[in-house]
Amino acid sequence: MIAPTFTVHDVEQRSEAWRTLRAGRVTGSVAADVCATLKSGKGEAAGRRNLRVKLALERICGRPLESDFQSAAMLTGIEREPLAIAAYEQATGQSVKACGFLAHETLLIGSSPD
């Protein structure tokens, strides 16, 4: 088996360049929508359908359609991220290195794994 190959893009997370790299790709942020199913087993869950349409439009347009909206909970998470990283590093002795975006070279998937 050949290991997947990713291109590392050194961009700031949540920047316009980061959003552009994510456009048309399935990312960790939408994994729940990818896996969404209806309890009845018939048809397609709305979240999955909406994601499919959004990704198709982004691929056609060549630009991101996601907004830069950040909820209060998202802003709190962004604000607390440095504290969480420091706590993790202290607890594990491991260093966390920020990473912009990893884009798979053959599949339209990617992630910001830090």
Side-chain angles (χ1 to χ4, degrees):
M1 183 173 147
I2 299 172
T5 305
F6 291 86
T7 300
V8 178
H9 297 275
D10 188 21
V11 295
E12 185 177 331
Q13 289 185 22
R14 295 176 290 280
S15 67
E16 190 59 34
W18 180 79
R19 284 185 183 82
T20 299
L21 287 166
R22 293 166 48 92
R25 293 182 184 271
V26 173
T27 64
S29 301
V30 297
D33 290 328
V34 170
C35 299
T37 59
L38 296 176
K39 290 180 184 178
S40 68
K42 297 178 183 177
E44 183 176 33
R48 185 175 178 153
R49 182 194 64 241
N50 294 344
L51 173 62
R52 183 173 43 81
V53 170
K54 175 183 166 286
L55 292 174
L57 289 171
E58 286 179 340
R59 290 174 192 162
I60 291 166
C61 297
R63 62 183 176 83
L65 298 178
E66 69 181 25
S67 71
D68 55 3
F69 168 77
Q70 294 176 334
S71 69
M74 292 166 68
L75 291 170
T76 298
I78 292 166
E79 182 180 298
R80 291 181 177 179
E81 187 174 26
L83 297 172
I85 290 170
Y88 173 84
E89 289 178 335
Q90 184 177 12
T92 66
Q94 299 294 313
S95 178
V96 174
K97 182 179 183 301
C99 178
F101 188 73
L102 297 178
H104 194 280
E105 291 188 357
T106 56
L107 301 174
L108 289 171
I109 61 172
S111 185
S112 299
D114 63 303

